[in-house]
């Protein structure tokens, strides 16, 4: 049976310039996921000597939503530049991926339980030009967090991961 779908993916981008030095941007989007044609079949497929994949005939599709904020400051006369950016996204699917050990095989399949993923990202950078040796010094800090769940042997396991990254950099040019 053939089915037709209309997938709309609206997005919004707004930018407000407070002054020649300071600007704020906001973005948001909602995307509907296409049907995964690579898993749209019945039965099992032997991928290699150890892995089986089970398809799923399912016309439901999930969505991916994102919002973001970006603040920038630029002062070229003082050679000072900075930005702060944050993004948050959610991904929802009508079924979950499952991994099962079945005799000597690992079987990958789908369960009719919804799947949810949340991702958050924060990033900031500040840099300052220095007259000494035509150099620039900068500091960057970022943080990201993921929250989701996985299924193994039809048992759901929730997990969250977080990561911090801080780095500084000095760039020097020895030419005029």
């Amino acid at each position: 049976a053939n089915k037709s779908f209309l997938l709309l993916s609206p997005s919004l981008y707004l930018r407000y310039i407070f002054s020649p030095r300071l600007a704020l941007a906001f973005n948001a989007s909602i995307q509907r996921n296409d049907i995964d044609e690579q898993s749209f079949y019945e039965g099992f497929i032997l991928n290699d000597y150890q892995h089986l994949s089970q398809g799923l005939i399912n016309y439901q599709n999930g969505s991916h939503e994102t919002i973001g904020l970006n603040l920038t400051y630029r002062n070229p006369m003082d050679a000072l530049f900075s930005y702060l950016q944050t993004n948050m996204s959610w991904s929802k699917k009508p079924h979950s991926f499952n991994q099962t050990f079945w005799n000597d095989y690992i079987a990958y399949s789908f369960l009719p339980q919804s799947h949810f993923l949340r991702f958050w990202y924060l990033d900031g950078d500040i840099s300052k030009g220095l007259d000494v040796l035509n150099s620039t010094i900068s500091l960057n800090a970022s943080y990201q967090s993921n929250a989701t769940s996985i299924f193994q042997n039809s048992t759901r396991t929730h997990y969250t991961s977080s990561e911090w990254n801080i780095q500084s950099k000095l760039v020097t040019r020895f030419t005029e």
Side-chain angles (χ1 to χ4, degrees):
N2 292 333
K3 294 203 179 220
S4 298
F5 293 98
L6 175 64
L7 300 175
L8 299 176
S9 298
S11 63
L12 172 69
Y13 178 82
L14 300 171
R15 185 167 185 227
Y16 186 78
I17 300 172
F18 294 98
S19 70
R21 296 179 182 172
L22 186 63
L24 179 69
F26 171 80
N27 65 295
S29 67
I30 300 172
Q31 296 177 310
R32 299 287 294 172
N33 297 337
D34 293 333
I35 293 173
D36 183 12
E37 69 276 358
Q38 297 298 316
S39 62
F40 201 78
Y41 60 89
E42 292 179 339
F44 286 91
I45 293 178
L46 182 63
N47 297 330
D48 56 34
Y49 70 95
Q50 184 178 356
H51 298 91
L52 293 168
S53 294
Q54 183 180 19
L56 176 70
I57 302 294
N58 188 346
Y59 290 99
Q60 294 178 322
N61 48 3
S63 65
H64 183 82
E65 301 158 12
T66 302
I67 59 171
L69 202 60
N70 188 344
L71 181 67
T72 56
Y73 177 80
R74 297 179 182 107
N75 187 344
M77 298 303 288
D78 290 334
L80 180 64
F81 303 92
S82 66
Y83 76 86
L84 181 65
Q85 174 183 359
T86 185
N87 284 307
M88 183 173 260
S89 61
W90 303 266
S91 182
K92 302 173 202 166
K93 294 184 179 178
H95 50 272
S96 295
F97 189 68
N98 183 45
Q99 175 180 306
T100 304
F101 296 97
W102 188 29
N103 295 330
D104 293 335
Y105 298 100
I106 300 172
Y108 301 104
S109 61
F110 297 97
L111 296 175
Q113 296 165 339
S114 63
H115 181 260
F116 183 79
L117 168 69
R118 180 191 51 109
F119 176 75
W120 182 55
Y121 178 77
L122 178 67
D123 183 46
D125 187 272
I126 186 165
S127 64
K128 171 77 172 125
L130 304 172
D131 289 336
V132 180
L133 297 174
N134 290 329
S135 58
T136 303
I137 188 166
S138 64
L139 177 66
N140 177 274
S142 63
Y143 172 77
Q144 68 180 17
S145 172
N146 293 303
T148 189
S149 60
I150 58 171
F151 279 89
Q152 187 163 347
N153 297 326
S154 300
T155 303
R156 184 186 299 246
T157 303
H158 297 279
Y159 71 90
T160 302
S161 65
S162 300
E163 178 182 329
W164 275 100
N165 184 16
I166 299 173
Q167 69 183 45
S168 61
K169 182 172 28 174
L170 176 65
V171 177
T172 302
R173 292 183 301 175
F174 293 108
T175 60
E176 290 294 323

Short mmCIF file of all heavy atoms in Angstrom, two decimals, residues 87-122:
data_model
loop_
_atom_site.label_atom_id
_atom_site.label_comp_id
_atom_site.label_asym_id
_atom_site.label_seq_id
_atom_site.Cartn_x
_atom_site.Cartn_y
_atom_site.Cartn_z
N ASN A 87 22.24 26.01 22.81
CA ASN A 87 21.27 25.28 21.99
C ASN A 87 20.69 24.14 22.82
O ASN A 87 21.41 23.50 23.57
CB ASN A 87 21.94 24.67 20.75
CG ASN A 87 22.22 25.69 19.69
OD1 ASN A 87 21.34 26.43 19.29
ND2 ASN A 87 23.46 25.75 19.26
N MET A 88 19.41 23.93 22.65
CA MET A 88 18.76 22.78 23.27
C MET A 88 17.92 22.11 22.20
O MET A 88 17.25 22.78 21.42
CB MET A 88 17.90 23.21 24.44
CG MET A 88 17.25 22.05 25.15
SD MET A 88 16.40 22.55 26.64
CE MET A 88 17.64 22.10 27.83
N SER A 89 17.99 20.78 22.16
CA SER A 89 17.20 20.07 21.17
C SER A 89 16.59 18.81 21.80
O SER A 89 17.12 18.25 22.74
CB SER A 89 18.04 19.71 19.95
OG SER A 89 19.11 18.89 20.30
N TRP A 90 15.46 18.41 21.22
CA TRP A 90 14.74 17.22 21.64
C TRP A 90 14.45 16.40 20.41
O TRP A 90 14.10 16.94 19.37
CB TRP A 90 13.39 17.57 22.28
CG TRP A 90 13.46 18.49 23.43
CD1 TRP A 90 13.52 18.14 24.75
CD2 TRP A 90 13.47 19.92 23.39
NE1 TRP A 90 13.56 19.27 25.52
CE2 TRP A 90 13.53 20.38 24.72
CE3 TRP A 90 13.44 20.87 22.37
CZ2 TRP A 90 13.56 21.72 25.05
CZ3 TRP A 90 13.47 22.21 22.69
CH2 TRP A 90 13.52 22.62 24.02
N SER A 91 14.59 15.12 20.54
CA SER A 91 14.28 14.21 19.45
C SER A 91 13.31 13.16 19.98
O SER A 91 13.56 12.56 21.03
CB SER A 91 15.56 13.56 18.94
OG SER A 91 15.29 12.71 17.87
N LYS A 92 12.21 12.97 19.28
CA LYS A 92 11.19 12.00 19.70
C LYS A 92 10.93 11.04 18.55
O LYS A 92 10.77 11.45 17.41
CB LYS A 92 9.89 12.71 20.06
CG LYS A 92 10.02 13.73 21.14
CD LYS A 92 8.72 14.49 21.30
CE LYS A 92 8.99 15.81 21.96
NZ LYS A 92 7.89 16.73 21.87
N LYS A 93 10.89 9.75 18.88
CA LYS A 93 10.58 8.72 17.88
C LYS A 93 9.50 7.81 18.45
O LYS A 93 9.45 7.57 19.64
CB LYS A 93 11.83 7.91 17.55
CG LYS A 93 12.90 8.72 16.86
CD LYS A 93 14.07 7.85 16.47
CE LYS A 93 15.12 8.70 15.76
NZ LYS A 93 16.28 7.93 15.39
N PRO A 94 8.64 7.27 17.60
CA PRO A 94 7.54 6.43 18.08
C PRO A 94 7.97 5.02 18.48
O PRO A 94 7.19 4.28 19.06
CB PRO A 94 6.58 6.39 16.89
CG PRO A 94 7.45 6.61 15.70
CD PRO A 94 8.55 7.52 16.16
N HIS A 95 9.21 4.64 18.19
CA HIS A 95 9.69 3.32 18.56
C HIS A 95 11.14 3.43 19.02
O HIS A 95 11.83 4.39 18.72
CB HIS A 95 9.56 2.34 17.39
CG HIS A 95 10.13 2.86 16.12
ND1 HIS A 95 9.39 3.62 15.24
CD2 HIS A 95 11.37 2.78 15.59
CE1 HIS A 95 10.15 3.96 14.23
NE2 HIS A 95 11.37 3.47 14.41
N SER A 96 11.58 2.44 19.75
CA SER A 96 12.93 2.43 20.31
C SER A 96 13.75 1.30 19.71
O SER A 96 13.23 0.24 19.37
CB SER A 96 12.88 2.24 21.83
OG SER A 96 12.26 3.34 22.44
N PHE A 97 15.02 1.54 19.61
CA PHE A 97 15.98 0.57 19.10
C PHE A 97 16.32 -0.41 20.23
O PHE A 97 16.51 0.00 21.37
CB PHE A 97 17.23 1.32 18.64
CG PHE A 97 18.22 0.49 17.92
CD1 PHE A 97 17.93 -0.02 16.67
CD2 PHE A 97 19.45 0.22 18.47
CE1 PHE A 97 18.86 -0.79 15.98
CE2 PHE A 97 20.38 -0.53 17.80
CZ PHE A 97 20.08 -1.04 16.55
N ASN A 98 16.38 -1.69 19.92
CA ASN A 98 16.64 -2.72 20.92
C ASN A 98 17.76 -3.64 20.44
O ASN A 98 17.86 -3.95 19.27
CB ASN A 98 15.37 -3.55 21.16
CG ASN A 98 15.55 -4.58 22.24
OD1 ASN A 98 16.09 -4.31 23.30
ND2 ASN A 98 15.09 -5.80 21.97
N GLN A 99 18.61 -4.04 21.37
CA GLN A 99 19.68 -5.00 21.08
C GLN A 99 19.45 -6.21 21.97
O GLN A 99 19.33 -6.09 23.18
CB GLN A 99 21.03 -4.36 21.39
CG GLN A 99 22.21 -5.29 21.24
CD GLN A 99 23.51 -4.58 21.55
OE1 GLN A 99 23.80 -3.56 20.98
NE2 GLN A 99 24.28 -5.12 22.47
N THR A 100 19.40 -7.40 21.36
CA THR A 100 19.13 -8.63 22.09
C THR A 100 20.18 -9.69 21.72
O THR A 100 20.54 -9.81 20.56
CB THR A 100 17.73 -9.17 21.74
OG1 THR A 100 16.76 -8.18 22.01
CG2 THR A 100 17.39 -10.41 22.55
N PHE A 101 20.63 -10.41 22.72
CA PHE A 101 21.52 -11.53 22.48
C PHE A 101 20.65 -12.77 22.28
O PHE A 101 19.87 -13.14 23.15
CB PHE A 101 22.49 -11.71 23.65
CG PHE A 101 23.40 -10.52 23.80
CD1 PHE A 101 23.11 -9.51 24.70
CD2 PHE A 101 24.53 -10.40 23.01
CE1 PHE A 101 23.94 -8.41 24.83
CE2 PHE A 101 25.36 -9.31 23.13
CZ PHE A 101 25.07 -8.31 24.04
N TRP A 102 20.79 -13.39 21.12
CA TRP A 102 19.92 -14.49 20.72
C TRP A 102 20.80 -15.62 20.22
O TRP A 102 21.34 -15.57 19.12
CB TRP A 102 18.98 -13.97 19.65
CG TRP A 102 17.88 -14.85 19.21
CD1 TRP A 102 17.23 -15.79 19.94
CD2 TRP A 102 17.28 -14.83 17.93
NE1 TRP A 102 16.26 -16.37 19.20
CE2 TRP A 102 16.27 -15.80 17.95
CE3 TRP A 102 17.49 -14.13 16.76
CZ2 TRP A 102 15.46 -16.06 16.85
CZ3 TRP A 102 16.69 -14.39 15.67
CH2 TRP A 102 15.70 -15.35 15.72
N ASN A 103 21.01 -16.63 21.07
CA ASN A 103 21.95 -17.73 20.82
C ASN A 103 23.34 -17.15 20.51
O ASN A 103 23.89 -16.44 21.33
CB ASN A 103 21.45 -18.64 19.71
CG ASN A 103 20.19 -19.37 20.11
OD1 ASN A 103 19.97 -19.65 21.28
ND2 ASN A 103 19.35 -19.67 19.14
N ASP A 104 23.87 -17.42 19.33
CA ASP A 104 25.20 -16.92 18.96
C ASP A 104 25.12 -15.59 18.21
O ASP A 104 26.13 -15.12 17.68
CB ASP A 104 25.92 -17.94 18.07
CG ASP A 104 26.27 -19.21 18.84
OD1 ASP A 104 26.40 -19.13 20.07
OD2 ASP A 104 26.41 -20.27 18.20
N TYR A 105 23.95 -14.99 18.15
CA TYR A 105 23.76 -13.77 17.36
C TYR A 105 23.41 -12.59 18.25
O TYR A 105 22.88 -12.74 19.35
CB TYR A 105 22.63 -13.97 16.33
CG TYR A 105 22.93 -15.03 15.33
CD1 TYR A 105 22.39 -16.32 15.46
CD2 TYR A 105 23.76 -14.77 14.25
CE1 TYR A 105 22.67 -17.30 14.53
CE2 TYR A 105 24.05 -15.76 13.32
CZ TYR A 105 23.50 -17.01 13.46
OH TYR A 105 23.79 -17.98 12.55
N ILE A 106 23.68 -11.42 17.72
CA ILE A 106 23.20 -10.17 18.32
C ILE A 106 22.13 -9.66 17.37
O ILE A 106 22.40 -9.41 16.18
CB ILE A 106 24.34 -9.15 18.47
CG1 ILE A 106 25.45 -9.71 19.36
CG2 ILE A 106 23.80 -7.84 19.03
CD1 ILE A 106 26.70 -8.85 19.40
N ALA A 107 20.92 -9.53 17.87
CA ALA A 107 19.79 -9.12 17.04
C ALA A 107 19.42 -7.68 17.36
O ALA A 107 19.25 -7.31 18.53
CB ALA A 107 18.60 -10.04 17.28
N TYR A 108 19.30 -6.86 16.33
CA TYR A 108 18.88 -5.48 16.45
C TYR A 108 17.45 -5.38 15.95
O TYR A 108 17.13 -5.84 14.85
CB TYR A 108 19.79 -4.56 15.64
CG TYR A 108 21.23 -4.64 16.05
CD1 TYR A 108 22.15 -5.33 15.26
CD2 TYR A 108 21.68 -4.05 17.21
CE1 TYR A 108 23.49 -5.42 15.63
CE2 TYR A 108 23.01 -4.13 17.59
CZ TYR A 108 23.90 -4.81 16.80
OH TYR A 108 25.21 -4.89 17.17
N SER A 109 16.59 -4.77 16.76
CA SER A 109 15.18 -4.67 16.40
C SER A 109 14.61 -3.38 16.96
O SER A 109 15.31 -2.57 17.56
CB SER A 109 14.41 -5.88 16.94
OG SER A 109 14.50 -5.90 18.36
N PHE A 110 13.32 -3.19 16.77
CA PHE A 110 12.61 -2.02 17.28
C PHE A 110 11.52 -2.46 18.23
O PHE A 110 10.90 -3.50 18.04
CB PHE A 110 11.99 -1.22 16.12
CG PHE A 110 13.00 -0.67 15.18
CD1 PHE A 110 13.32 -1.33 14.01
CD2 PHE A 110 13.64 0.53 15.47
CE1 PHE A 110 14.26 -0.81 13.14
CE2 PHE A 110 14.58 1.05 14.60
CZ PHE A 110 14.89 0.38 13.43
N LEU A 111 11.29 -1.67 19.25
CA LEU A 111 10.21 -1.92 20.19
C LEU A 111 9.16 -0.82 20.02
O LEU A 111 9.51 0.32 19.72
CB LEU A 111 10.73 -1.90 21.62
CG LEU A 111 11.74 -2.99 21.99
CD1 LEU A 111 12.26 -2.79 23.40
CD2 LEU A 111 11.10 -4.37 21.87
N PRO A 112 7.89 -1.14 20.24
CA PRO A 112 6.83 -0.14 20.03
C PRO A 112 6.73 0.87 21.18
O PRO A 112 5.66 1.40 21.45
CB PRO A 112 5.57 -1.00 19.93
CG PRO A 112 5.87 -2.20 20.75
CD PRO A 112 7.35 -2.45 20.57
N GLN A 113 7.83 1.17 21.83
CA GLN A 113 7.85 2.16 22.91
C GLN A 113 8.56 3.42 22.41
O GLN A 113 9.56 3.32 21.69
CB GLN A 113 8.56 1.59 24.14
CG GLN A 113 7.81 0.41 24.71
CD GLN A 113 8.65 -0.40 25.68
OE1 GLN A 113 9.86 -0.33 25.64
NE2 GLN A 113 7.99 -1.18 26.50
N SER A 114 8.06 4.56 22.80
CA SER A 114 8.63 5.81 22.29
C SER A 114 10.05 6.02 22.81
O SER A 114 10.43 5.51 23.86
CB SER A 114 7.74 6.98 22.67
OG SER A 114 7.69 7.11 24.08
N HIS A 115 10.81 6.77 22.03
CA HIS A 115 12.20 7.08 22.37
C HIS A 115 12.35 8.58 22.44
O HIS A 115 11.81 9.32 21.61
CB HIS A 115 13.13 6.50 21.31
CG HIS A 115 14.57 6.75 21.61
ND1 HIS A 115 15.28 7.75 21.01
CD2 HIS A 115 15.44 6.16 22.47
CE1 HIS A 115 16.52 7.76 21.47
NE2 HIS A 115 16.63 6.81 22.36
N PHE A 116 13.11 9.06 23.43
CA PHE A 116 13.29 10.49 23.64
C PHE A 116 14.77 10.78 23.88
O PHE A 116 15.44 10.05 24.59
CB PHE A 116 12.47 10.92 24.87
CG PHE A 116 12.52 12.39 25.15
CD1 PHE A 116 11.75 13.27 24.40
CD2 PHE A 116 13.34 12.90 26.14
CE1 PHE A 116 11.80 14.63 24.65
CE2 PHE A 116 13.39 14.25 26.39
CZ PHE A 116 12.61 15.13 25.65
N LEU A 117 15.27 11.83 23.25
CA LEU A 117 16.65 12.26 23.44
C LEU A 117 16.63 13.77 23.68
O LEU A 117 15.97 14.51 22.95
CB LEU A 117 17.49 11.95 22.20
CG LEU A 117 18.88 12.60 22.12
CD1 LEU A 117 19.81 12.01 23.17
CD2 LEU A 117 19.47 12.44 20.74
N ARG A 118 17.35 14.21 24.70
CA ARG A 118 17.48 15.65 24.99
C ARG A 118 18.96 15.99 24.95
O ARG A 118 19.79 15.28 25.51
CB ARG A 118 16.93 15.99 26.37
CG ARG A 118 17.03 17.46 26.71
CD ARG A 118 16.73 17.68 28.19
NE ARG A 118 17.53 16.77 28.99
CZ ARG A 118 18.56 17.12 29.75
NH1 ARG A 118 18.91 18.35 29.85
NH2 ARG A 118 19.24 16.23 30.43
N PHE A 119 19.28 17.08 24.26
CA PHE A 119 20.66 17.51 24.12
C PHE A 119 20.73 19.00 24.45
O PHE A 119 19.91 19.79 23.98
CB PHE A 119 21.15 17.28 22.69
CG PHE A 119 22.53 17.78 22.42
CD1 PHE A 119 23.63 17.11 22.89
CD2 PHE A 119 22.72 18.94 21.69
CE1 PHE A 119 24.92 17.57 22.64
CE2 PHE A 119 24.00 19.42 21.44
CZ PHE A 119 25.09 18.74 21.91
N TRP A 120 21.70 19.39 25.28
CA TRP A 120 21.90 20.79 25.63
C TRP A 120 23.36 21.15 25.45
O TRP A 120 24.24 20.37 25.81
CB TRP A 120 21.46 21.04 27.08
CG TRP A 120 21.60 22.48 27.49
CD1 TRP A 120 21.05 23.56 26.87
CD2 TRP A 120 22.33 22.98 28.61
NE1 TRP A 120 21.41 24.71 27.53
CE2 TRP A 120 22.20 24.38 28.60
CE3 TRP A 120 23.09 22.39 29.60
CZ2 TRP A 120 22.78 25.20 29.55
CZ3 TRP A 120 23.68 23.20 30.55
CH2 TRP A 120 23.51 24.58 30.52
N TYR A 121 23.60 22.32 24.89
CA TYR A 121 24.95 22.75 24.57
C TYR A 121 25.11 24.22 24.96
O TYR A 121 24.24 25.04 24.68
CB TYR A 121 25.18 22.57 23.06
CG TYR A 121 26.52 23.03 22.57
CD1 TYR A 121 27.65 22.26 22.78
CD2 TYR A 121 26.66 24.23 21.88
CE1 TYR A 121 28.89 22.66 22.31
CE2 TYR A 121 27.88 24.64 21.40
CZ TYR A 121 29.00 23.85 21.62
OH TYR A 121 30.22 24.26 21.16
N LEU A 122 26.22 24.54 25.60
CA LEU A 122 26.55 25.91 25.98
C LEU A 122 28.00 26.15 25.62
O LEU A 122 28.86 25.32 25.93
CB LEU A 122 26.34 26.11 27.49
CG LEU A 122 26.68 27.47 28.07
CD1 LEU A 122 25.72 28.53 27.53
CD2 LEU A 122 26.61 27.42 29.59
#
